[in-house]
Amino acid sequence: GDSLWRVLKRASGGKQDNIFHLSCLDALDEPLGALWISTYAPVCQPASGDGSFDREPSEVCGVTVPPPLEGSVRLDLWKVVYAITPVWEQTYSGELQPPAFQLTFGLCRHPSQAAC
């Protein structure tokens, strides 16, 4: 499933007003064998033909994206992915171990005013 989140936050660098796109997938029966979750800032739109990407998208998945609140900054490159893989029942020295999972995490971002 997919959803959009608006996250308002105060950080040492000032106020943030971020939009995050959250995607989730049950891949337990797939070769990955995990629950997959990704959170990312929507891709910025091309500026005025100069090759730069500095405009916020006006719409994501059919939802109008509001501009940042006055005095706030917004992350422009932020991608996080998680894979939660169950570790099925195992025995250790003949004793059944409690249920567990392996968490795999990845982050891609570049410095911005919002991340300071």
Side-chain angles (χ1 to χ4, degrees), residues 25-61:
L25 180 68
D26 177 348
L28 291 168
D29 294 330
E30 302 297 328
L32 179 63
L35 299 173
W36 179 88
I37 302 108
S38 181
T39 306
Y40 45 96
V43 176
C44 288
Q45 303 299 310
S48 56
D50 64 359
S52 65
F53 288 80
D54 63 357
R55 291 188 307 128
E56 296 286 330
S58 58
E59 186 178 292
V60 176
C61 297

Short mmCIF file of all heavy atoms in Angstrom, two decimals, residues 25-61:
data_model
loop_
_atom_site.label_atom_id
_atom_site.label_comp_id
_atom_site.label_asym_id
_atom_site.label_seq_id
_atom_site.Cartn_x
_atom_site.Cartn_y
_atom_site.Cartn_z
N LEU A 25 5.11 -3.35 1.25
CA LEU A 25 4.88 -4.53 0.43
C LEU A 25 5.09 -5.79 1.26
O LEU A 25 6.10 -5.92 1.95
CB LEU A 25 5.85 -4.52 -0.76
CG LEU A 25 5.77 -5.68 -1.73
CD1 LEU A 25 4.46 -5.64 -2.50
CD2 LEU A 25 6.94 -5.63 -2.69
N ASP A 26 4.14 -6.70 1.20
CA ASP A 26 4.28 -8.01 1.83
C ASP A 26 4.97 -8.93 0.83
O ASP A 26 4.35 -9.40 -0.12
CB ASP A 26 2.92 -8.56 2.22
CG ASP A 26 2.98 -9.96 2.82
OD1 ASP A 26 4.04 -10.62 2.73
OD2 ASP A 26 1.96 -10.40 3.37
N ALA A 27 6.26 -9.14 1.01
CA ALA A 27 7.04 -10.01 0.12
C ALA A 27 7.49 -11.27 0.87
O ALA A 27 8.52 -11.85 0.54
CB ALA A 27 8.24 -9.24 -0.44
N LEU A 28 6.71 -11.69 1.84
CA LEU A 28 7.08 -12.88 2.62
C LEU A 28 7.11 -14.14 1.77
O LEU A 28 7.91 -15.04 2.02
CB LEU A 28 6.12 -13.05 3.80
CG LEU A 28 6.25 -11.98 4.89
CD1 LEU A 28 5.07 -12.09 5.86
CD2 LEU A 28 7.57 -12.12 5.63
N ASP A 29 6.24 -14.22 0.76
CA ASP A 29 6.19 -15.40 -0.11
C ASP A 29 7.04 -15.24 -1.36
O ASP A 29 7.01 -16.09 -2.25
CB ASP A 29 4.75 -15.70 -0.51
CG ASP A 29 3.90 -16.12 0.68
OD1 ASP A 29 4.47 -16.71 1.62
OD2 ASP A 29 2.69 -15.86 0.66
N GLU A 30 7.79 -14.15 -1.44
CA GLU A 30 8.68 -13.88 -2.58
C GLU A 30 10.11 -14.26 -2.20
O GLU A 30 10.39 -14.55 -1.03
CB GLU A 30 8.61 -12.39 -2.96
CG GLU A 30 7.22 -11.90 -3.30
CD GLU A 30 6.64 -12.57 -4.52
OE1 GLU A 30 7.39 -12.94 -5.44
OE2 GLU A 30 5.40 -12.75 -4.57
N PRO A 31 11.03 -14.28 -3.16
CA PRO A 31 12.43 -14.61 -2.84
C PRO A 31 13.02 -13.75 -1.71
O PRO A 31 13.82 -14.23 -0.93
CB PRO A 31 13.17 -14.39 -4.16
CG PRO A 31 12.12 -14.65 -5.21
CD PRO A 31 10.84 -14.13 -4.62
N LEU A 32 12.58 -12.50 -1.59
CA LEU A 32 13.07 -11.63 -0.51
C LEU A 32 12.68 -12.20 0.85
O LEU A 32 13.44 -12.13 1.81
CB LEU A 32 12.52 -10.21 -0.68
CG LEU A 32 12.89 -9.19 0.37
CD1 LEU A 32 14.39 -8.94 0.39
CD2 LEU A 32 12.14 -7.89 0.15
N GLY A 33 11.47 -12.76 0.95
CA GLY A 33 11.00 -13.36 2.20
C GLY A 33 10.89 -12.37 3.34
O GLY A 33 11.24 -12.69 4.48
N ALA A 34 10.43 -11.14 3.05
CA ALA A 34 10.41 -10.10 4.06
C ALA A 34 9.23 -9.15 3.85
O ALA A 34 8.59 -9.17 2.80
CB ALA A 34 11.72 -9.30 4.01
N LEU A 35 8.99 -8.33 4.87
CA LEU A 35 8.12 -7.18 4.71
C LEU A 35 9.03 -6.04 4.27
O LEU A 35 10.10 -5.83 4.84
CB LEU A 35 7.43 -6.83 6.04
CG LEU A 35 6.54 -7.92 6.62
CD1 LEU A 35 6.05 -7.51 8.00
CD2 LEU A 35 5.37 -8.22 5.70
N TRP A 36 8.63 -5.31 3.25
CA TRP A 36 9.46 -4.25 2.67
C TRP A 36 8.74 -2.92 2.86
O TRP A 36 7.56 -2.79 2.54
CB TRP A 36 9.68 -4.54 1.19
CG TRP A 36 10.51 -3.54 0.46
CD1 TRP A 36 11.86 -3.53 0.36
CD2 TRP A 36 10.04 -2.41 -0.29
NE1 TRP A 36 12.27 -2.46 -0.41
CE2 TRP A 36 11.16 -1.76 -0.81
CE3 TRP A 36 8.77 -1.89 -0.55
CZ2 TRP A 36 11.06 -0.62 -1.59
CZ3 TRP A 36 8.67 -0.75 -1.32
CH2 TRP A 36 9.80 -0.14 -1.84
N ILE A 37 9.45 -1.93 3.41
CA ILE A 37 8.88 -0.61 3.65
C ILE A 37 9.86 0.43 3.14
O ILE A 37 11.07 0.33 3.38
CB ILE A 37 8.63 -0.36 5.16
CG1 ILE A 37 7.71 -1.43 5.75
CG2 ILE A 37 8.05 1.02 5.40
CD1 ILE A 37 8.39 -2.39 6.62
N SER A 38 9.35 1.41 2.43
CA SER A 38 10.19 2.50 1.93
C SER A 38 9.50 3.83 2.19
O SER A 38 8.30 3.96 2.00
CB SER A 38 10.45 2.33 0.44
OG SER A 38 11.29 3.38 -0.03
N THR A 39 10.27 4.80 2.65
CA THR A 39 9.79 6.16 2.86
C THR A 39 10.71 7.08 2.08
O THR A 39 11.92 6.98 2.20
CB THR A 39 9.82 6.53 4.35
OG1 THR A 39 9.10 5.56 5.09
CG2 THR A 39 9.22 7.89 4.59
N TYR A 40 10.12 7.96 1.30
CA TYR A 40 10.96 8.85 0.49
C TYR A 40 10.26 10.17 0.25
O TYR A 40 9.03 10.27 0.23
CB TYR A 40 11.35 8.20 -0.83
CG TYR A 40 10.23 7.50 -1.56
CD1 TYR A 40 9.51 8.13 -2.55
CD2 TYR A 40 9.88 6.18 -1.23
CE1 TYR A 40 8.48 7.48 -3.22
CE2 TYR A 40 8.86 5.53 -1.88
CZ TYR A 40 8.16 6.19 -2.87
OH TYR A 40 7.13 5.55 -3.52
N ALA A 41 11.08 11.22 0.08
CA ALA A 41 10.56 12.53 -0.29
C ALA A 41 10.21 12.47 -1.78
O ALA A 41 10.97 11.93 -2.57
CB ALA A 41 11.61 13.60 -0.03
N PRO A 42 9.04 13.00 -2.15
CA PRO A 42 8.68 13.00 -3.57
C PRO A 42 9.75 13.71 -4.40
O PRO A 42 10.38 14.65 -3.94
CB PRO A 42 7.36 13.78 -3.61
CG PRO A 42 6.80 13.63 -2.24
CD PRO A 42 7.99 13.58 -1.32
N VAL A 43 9.94 13.24 -5.61
CA VAL A 43 10.97 13.77 -6.49
C VAL A 43 10.64 15.20 -6.89
O VAL A 43 9.51 15.50 -7.29
CB VAL A 43 11.10 12.88 -7.75
CG1 VAL A 43 12.10 13.47 -8.73
CG2 VAL A 43 11.49 11.47 -7.36
N CYS A 44 11.63 16.08 -6.77
CA CYS A 44 11.44 17.46 -7.19
C CYS A 44 11.29 17.52 -8.71
O CYS A 44 11.85 16.71 -9.43
CB CYS A 44 12.61 18.33 -6.74
SG CYS A 44 12.62 18.64 -4.98
N GLN A 45 10.56 18.52 -9.16
CA GLN A 45 10.30 18.70 -10.58
C GLN A 45 11.39 19.55 -11.22
O GLN A 45 12.02 20.37 -10.56
CB GLN A 45 8.94 19.38 -10.77
CG GLN A 45 7.80 18.61 -10.14
CD GLN A 45 7.64 17.23 -10.75
OE1 GLN A 45 7.59 17.09 -11.96
NE2 GLN A 45 7.57 16.22 -9.91
N PRO A 46 11.61 19.37 -12.54
CA PRO A 46 12.62 20.19 -13.21
C PRO A 46 12.28 21.67 -13.10
O PRO A 46 11.12 22.07 -13.14
CB PRO A 46 12.54 19.74 -14.67
CG PRO A 46 11.87 18.41 -14.63
CD PRO A 46 10.97 18.42 -13.43
N ALA A 47 13.33 22.47 -12.95
CA ALA A 47 13.14 23.92 -12.90
C ALA A 47 12.94 24.44 -14.32
O ALA A 47 12.53 23.70 -15.20
CB ALA A 47 14.35 24.57 -12.22
N SER A 48 13.29 25.64 -14.56
CA SER A 48 12.99 26.31 -15.83
C SER A 48 13.93 25.90 -16.96
O SER A 48 14.55 26.76 -17.58
CB SER A 48 13.02 27.81 -15.63
OG SER A 48 14.28 28.18 -15.09
N GLY A 49 14.07 24.63 -17.22
CA GLY A 49 14.84 24.17 -18.37
C GLY A 49 16.35 24.20 -18.24
O GLY A 49 17.05 23.91 -19.18
N ASP A 50 16.88 24.53 -17.06
CA ASP A 50 18.34 24.62 -16.91
C ASP A 50 18.95 23.32 -16.38
O ASP A 50 20.11 23.27 -16.06
CB ASP A 50 18.72 25.80 -16.03
CG ASP A 50 18.22 25.64 -14.59
OD1 ASP A 50 17.54 24.63 -14.29
OD2 ASP A 50 18.50 26.54 -13.78
N GLY A 51 18.14 22.27 -16.26
CA GLY A 51 18.65 20.98 -15.80
C GLY A 51 18.60 20.80 -14.30
O GLY A 51 18.88 19.73 -13.79
N SER A 52 18.25 21.84 -13.55
CA SER A 52 18.18 21.70 -12.10
C SER A 52 16.79 21.23 -11.69
O SER A 52 15.83 21.33 -12.44
CB SER A 52 18.52 23.04 -11.41
OG SER A 52 17.53 24.01 -11.73
N PHE A 53 16.72 20.70 -10.49
CA PHE A 53 15.46 20.18 -9.96
C PHE A 53 15.20 20.88 -8.64
O PHE A 53 15.69 20.47 -7.61
CB PHE A 53 15.55 18.66 -9.73
CG PHE A 53 15.56 17.88 -11.00
CD1 PHE A 53 16.72 17.76 -11.76
CD2 PHE A 53 14.41 17.28 -11.45
CE1 PHE A 53 16.71 17.04 -12.93
CE2 PHE A 53 14.41 16.55 -12.63
CZ PHE A 53 15.56 16.44 -13.38
N ASP A 54 14.43 21.97 -8.69
CA ASP A 54 14.22 22.71 -7.45
C ASP A 54 12.77 23.02 -7.15
O ASP A 54 12.48 23.66 -6.16
CB ASP A 54 15.04 24.01 -7.46
CG ASP A 54 14.61 24.96 -8.56
OD1 ASP A 54 13.73 24.61 -9.36
OD2 ASP A 54 15.18 26.06 -8.62
N ARG A 55 11.85 22.55 -7.94
CA ARG A 55 10.45 22.82 -7.68
C ARG A 55 9.80 21.62 -7.01
O ARG A 55 9.97 20.49 -7.44
CB ARG A 55 9.70 23.15 -8.97
CG ARG A 55 10.11 24.46 -9.58
CD ARG A 55 9.22 24.84 -10.74
NE ARG A 55 9.14 23.76 -11.72
CZ ARG A 55 8.00 23.24 -12.19
NH1 ARG A 55 6.85 23.68 -11.78
NH2 ARG A 55 8.02 22.28 -13.09
N GLU A 56 9.05 21.90 -5.95
CA GLU A 56 8.30 20.84 -5.28
C GLU A 56 7.24 20.31 -6.23
O GLU A 56 6.65 21.07 -6.99
CB GLU A 56 7.59 21.41 -4.04
CG GLU A 56 8.52 21.91 -2.97
CD GLU A 56 9.17 20.78 -2.22
OE1 GLU A 56 8.57 19.71 -2.08
OE2 GLU A 56 10.30 20.98 -1.78
N PRO A 57 6.95 19.01 -6.19
CA PRO A 57 5.84 18.50 -7.00
C PRO A 57 4.53 19.09 -6.47
O PRO A 57 4.35 19.25 -5.26
CB PRO A 57 5.89 17.00 -6.81
CG PRO A 57 6.66 16.79 -5.54
CD PRO A 57 7.59 17.97 -5.41
N SER A 58 3.62 19.43 -7.37
CA SER A 58 2.34 20.00 -6.93
C SER A 58 1.35 18.90 -6.56
O SER A 58 0.38 19.16 -5.84
CB SER A 58 1.76 20.88 -8.03
OG SER A 58 1.58 20.13 -9.21
N GLU A 59 1.61 17.68 -7.03
CA GLU A 59 0.70 16.57 -6.78
C GLU A 59 1.49 15.27 -6.70
O GLU A 59 2.43 15.05 -7.46
CB GLU A 59 -0.32 16.50 -7.92
CG GLU A 59 -1.40 15.49 -7.73
CD GLU A 59 -2.40 15.52 -8.88
OE1 GLU A 59 -3.13 16.52 -9.01
OE2 GLU A 59 -2.41 14.53 -9.64
N VAL A 60 1.10 14.40 -5.77
CA VAL A 60 1.71 13.07 -5.64
C VAL A 60 0.58 12.07 -5.46
O VAL A 60 -0.25 12.22 -4.55
CB VAL A 60 2.70 13.00 -4.46
CG1 VAL A 60 3.23 11.58 -4.29
CG2 VAL A 60 3.84 13.98 -4.63
N CYS A 61 0.51 11.07 -6.31
CA CYS A 61 -0.53 10.03 -6.23
C CYS A 61 -1.93 10.63 -6.19
O CYS A 61 -2.80 10.17 -5.45
CB CYS A 61 -0.30 9.12 -5.02
SG CYS A 61 1.22 8.18 -5.07
#
